[in-house]
Amino acid sequence: MAKKKSHDSSDDGAPAGRSVPMREFSRSLPMSLLRAREAVMRQFRPSLRQHGLTEQQWRILRALAAIEVIEVTELARTAFLLGPSLSRILRDLEARHLIERRTVKTDQRRSTVSISEKGLKLMAAVAPSSEAIYADITRRYGARKLAELQQMLGELENSLAGLRPQEETDATADE
Amino acid sequence: MAKKKSHDSSDDGAPAGRSVPMREFSRSLPMSLLRAREAVMRQFRPSLRQHGLTEQQWRILRALAAIEVIEVTELARTAFLLGPSLSRILRDLEARHLIERRTVKTDQRRSTVSISEKGLKLMAAVAPSSEAIYADITRRYGARKLAELQQMLGELENSLAGLRPQEETDATADE
DNA sequence: AAACGATACTTAACATGTTAAATGTATCCG
DNA sequence: CGGATACATTTAACATGTTAAGTATCGTTT
């Protein structure tokens, strides 16, 4: 249906090359998001690294610091990590005694995680510089604008929420 | 609906837990960007996967399709990939005959890359569904809003552009 | 209670992200 | 010319992303 090949077309800014009809790549939404995030994270990584933490490990500690205990599955959702990643990281953090873990008595499959004293101390050591960096970003970009951006990002997330990832000729439309 | 426990503090929504003074984590900019990007990429991945491509491999093909030839370093910048990642992926794409590679005669260190006929055919096979997904996202979120979002993301990138990542007590502030 | 299916992780396997080090070339400079 | 430097790319090593399997436990059904 409707093969609209608007040949030498209107808004494509693609510079010659072999032509495959497509948006110009650097303007794609995924790239914009990736570049923006990278620009932000670049600010934080060195500071975290000095404390021996990766971005994801820091996410977990932050998530844990906000609550008493949490189950692994719930933590995965909170820290926005996939199960396998979380599993590996928890193993590591536990070995470093930054977190504590215990199986739920009423259900041996589940286990809860909480931050340890040592973990709290580490957080206390990292938080100041981390907050300072965040404050700096906010100042540069503008607090109001930042809030607006986050609002729009949330809305983007919501508009794609229900949408099932595109399979091919998949006919299982009802669950 | 979430039960808002309006503690009594200032603006911190942190629910009890061990207290380390810090923004609530789910509202941080990096998380917002990560979640938004993931929501978007989740739409594309299955389609790419069906064609045996990862997100990054697709980025490279797209970048290559827009130009005749390009040097590796320049490609890394365009596709927003680090050298080591690019190196591995190019090795793979070359083995699959999706790209072609040749060393620059005037400088044996450099090499140029270009997409092959086979690569172009693959792109032609993937592009339609990819564009359809993008169109769907645009429709759901709103074209104007999407443009605005990308504008704001670009500005965020720019406001952090000059800013050097935070080192510790690093005194090399000049040059 | 034994069988079956669902759940909560964990492992495995492969691809990429991230930093540091290695390799091979090119360039500069005495 | 020869040695020090800089540069382009690759390799190495470790951490995470992503999907598929595996393991243990729980619930339910018969």
Side-chain angles (χ1 to χ4, degrees), chain A residues 27-39:
Chain A
R27 291 180 205 158
S28 76
L29 180 57
M31 278 299 283
S32 296
L33 290 166
L34 179 59
R35 297 165 69 108
R37 187 174 138 83
E38 178 52 29

Side-chain angles (χ1 to χ4, degrees), chain B residues 80-128:
Chain B
F80 208 70
L81 291 169
L82 294 179
S85 299
L86 183 55
S87 202
R88 285 178 299 218
I89 299 174
L90 289 182
R91 188 207 316 135
D92 180 62
L93 292 179
E94 188 177 25
R96 289 158 70 184
H97 303 290
L98 297 173
I99 64 169
E100 284 155 12
R101 209 188 206 171
R102 51 196 313 180
T103 27
V104 173
K105 285 179 287 294
T106 65
D107 187 341
Q108 302 291 105
R109 293 172 302 180
R110 303 162 191 261
S111 66
T112 59
V113 185
S114 56
I115 193 166
S116 70
E117 273 309 317
K118 188 176 172 193
L120 283 171
K121 279 179 191 160
L122 179 54
M123 283 205 70
V126 180

Side-chain angles (χ1 to χ4, degrees), chain A residues 8-175:
Chain A
D8 49 13
S9 62
S10 38
D11 66 324
D12 191 333
R18 333 297 193 73
S19 68
V20 172
M22 196 130 217
R23 261 159 305 111
E24 213 224 322
F25 157 64
S26 54
R27 291 180 205 158
S28 76
L29 180 57
M31 278 299 283
S32 296
L33 290 166
L34 179 59
R35 297 165 69 108
R37 187 174 138 83
E38 178 52 29
V40 172
M41 284 316 302
R42 201 185 344 269
Q43 310 305 319
F44 289 97
R45 263 192 285 268
S47 160
L48 291 178
R49 193 159 207 288
Q50 288 180 333
H51 295 277
L53 290 174
T54 65
E55 180 196 333
Q56 293 80 357
Q57 293 167 347
W58 178 237
R59 285 222 297 274
I60 291 177
L61 291 185
R62 284 188 65 181
L64 289 179
I67 56 186
E68 278 301 328
V69 295
I70 189 174
E71 290 188 9
V72 172
T73 302
E74 175 69 3
L75 179 56
R77 204 165 40 239
T78 306
F80 208 69
L81 290 169
L82 293 178
S85 298
L86 183 55
S87 204
R88 287 177 299 219
I89 300 175
L90 289 182
R91 190 210 313 137
D92 181 61
L93 292 180
E94 187 177 24
R96 289 156 71 184
H97 303 292
L98 296 173
I99 65 169
E100 285 156 11
R101 209 188 207 168
R102 51 195 312 179
T103 26
V104 173
K105 285 179 288 293
T106 64
D107 188 340
Q108 300 291 105
R109 293 172 303 180
R110 301 163 191 261
S111 67
T112 59
V113 186
S114 57
I115 193 166
S116 70
E117 273 308 316
K118 188 177 171 191
L120 284 171
K121 278 179 191 161
L122 178 54
M123 283 205 72
V126 180
S129 92
S130 181
E131 287 294 292
I133 294 170
Y134 201 88
D136 195 29
I137 293 174
T138 304
R139 185 177 52 71
R140 283 172 175 262
Y141 188 63
R144 187 163 307 129
K145 203 164 166 185
L146 182 55
E148 193 188 341
L149 174 57
Q150 290 190 293
Q151 171 73 25
M152 292 180 73
L153 291 170
E155 288 168 6
L156 174 58
E157 221 186 313
N158 290 336
S159 38
L160 304 183
L163 203 145
R164 288 149 43 75
Q166 311 289 336
E167 307 285 343
E168 62 181 336
T169 356
D170 181 292
T172 51
D174 60 327
E175 140 195 33

